[in-house]
Amino acid sequence: MSRLVLWNVDLTLVDVSIITREAYADAFRKVTGRPLVKLTQHNGRPDSEIVFETLAINGIVAEDDHLPKFLDALGEAFGARRKRLTKDGRTMAGAADALKAVARLDGTVQSVLTGTIKSNAVHKLTAFGLDRHVDFEVGGYGEEVYPKATLLQVAQGRARQKYGGTFDGGNTVMIGDSARDVQAARIAGASMIAVATGRSLPAELHEAGADVVLPDLSNPSEVVAAVAGLTSPARKAG
């Protein structure tokens, strides 16, 4: 395998924000016994970070067991609603065709680098048939308490372990919609394709250091050209 493409999930490939908000409210009530009043914006941050901030802005002092309990409850609450994903959510423009087109590039591994916990990321992409070209085993997820840049390097290590090549800054590209995604890629030394489909404006994505900024994924040829232009063949290990 010669390149690693890591996709953000929410507002890059899918928008299931209604279900996500409901699941957070359900999990919050289960863990704290109180109704959720305020939910902080995700905006490229991992679930592990959002949980702590949500507890804080709702007047809950976080304890050691809050995070694992909340993430377990979040997975259960979201999973219970997975049959509603296609009804109350949507794929982002061009997402399916872009994944399929990138998969045709020789030697390409596609996975996810997302703030969403793994079980929910799988539900989100599977519901819309976007899982066909994604290797979830080598991705990075929101229950892993690492900065996103470190998580990107963890995903590279998982890809190396599974596929035997060398995945580094020269052949890894991230695709996401937030300035935080761009910053993570920059810190990790990976290339970055930003899509202006989230809450970050094109100017913010450029300023954060994205190599390429696209309005959306609706032109698969543009996405493929950007991925091919930013990656180089992996060096074989050993």
Side-chain angles (χ1 to χ4, degrees):
M1 310 306 287
S2 61
R3 59 174 62 84
L4 176 64
V5 179
L6 296 169
W7 294 83
N8 181 57
V9 174
D10 290 301
L11 299 184
T12 300
L13 294 173
V14 300
D15 179 4
V16 292
S17 53
I18 292 173
I19 302 297
T20 299
R21 285 194 297 268
E22 288 184 10
Y24 260 92
D26 195 352
F28 185 89
R29 185 184 294 274
K30 182 175 182 180
V31 172
T32 69
R34 291 167 47 178
L36 178 67
V37 178
K38 298 177 182 177
L39 177 61
T40 186
Q41 285 192 350
H42 284 55
N43 207 22
R45 292 182 298 169
D47 280 330
S48 57
E49 182 178 328
I50 293 163
V51 166
F52 283 122
E53 185 167 334
T54 297
L55 290 169
I57 64 176
N58 286 276
I60 303 293
V61 177
E63 299 177 358
D64 289 345
D65 62 347
H66 266 136
L67 181 61
K69 284 183 177 179
F70 203 117
L71 294 179
D72 285 347
L74 182 63
E76 291 175 8
F78 195 92
R81 293 167 170 82
R82 66 187 183 277
K83 292 181 180 179
R84 288 176 44 208
L85 287 169
T86 54
K87 175 178 177 290
D88 295 326
R90 65 187 176 105
T91 57
M92 305 304 287
D97 289 339
L99 281 163
K100 186 185 299 184
V102 172
R104 294 193 191 105
L105 282 170
D106 287 342
T108 298
V109 179
Q110 294 189 92
S111 191
V112 295
L113 186 72
T114 176
T116 301
I117 62 174
K118 185 174 183 178
S119 62
N120 292 355
V122 173
H123 287 319
K124 290 174 184 182
L125 297 191
T126 302
F128 295 98
L130 301 181
D131 58 311
R132 298 167 191 166
H133 304 294
V134 174
D135 183 346
F136 290 108
E137 288 185 10
V138 301
Y141 302 94
E143 66 265 44
E144 302 180 273
V145 188
Y146 298 109
K148 209 164 191 177
T150 304
L151 195 56
L152 191 154
Q153 294 170 328
V154 169
Q156 288 174 322
R158 288 170 177 160
R160 283 195 294 270
Q161 185 174 19
K162 181 169 182 177
Y163 293 101
T166 297
F167 296 95
D168 55 23
N171 54 40
T172 301
V173 60
M174 183 174 178
I175 304 177
D177 62 88
S178 74
R180 286 176 179 262
D181 292 332
V182 180
Q183 292 158 2
R186 292 275 70 82
I187 293 169
S191 297
M192 180 72 203
I193 300 169
V195 288
T197 51
R199 297 182 177 89
S200 296
L201 298 173
E204 294 174 315
L205 298 169
H206 280 293
E207 186 177 350
D211 296 287
V212 175
V213 177
L214 302 175
D216 53 33
L217 299 171
S218 60
N219 188 334
S221 297
E222 276 189 330
V223 179
V224 168
V227 169
L230 290 170
T231 54
S232 61
R235 299 183 299 275
K236 294 297 182 183

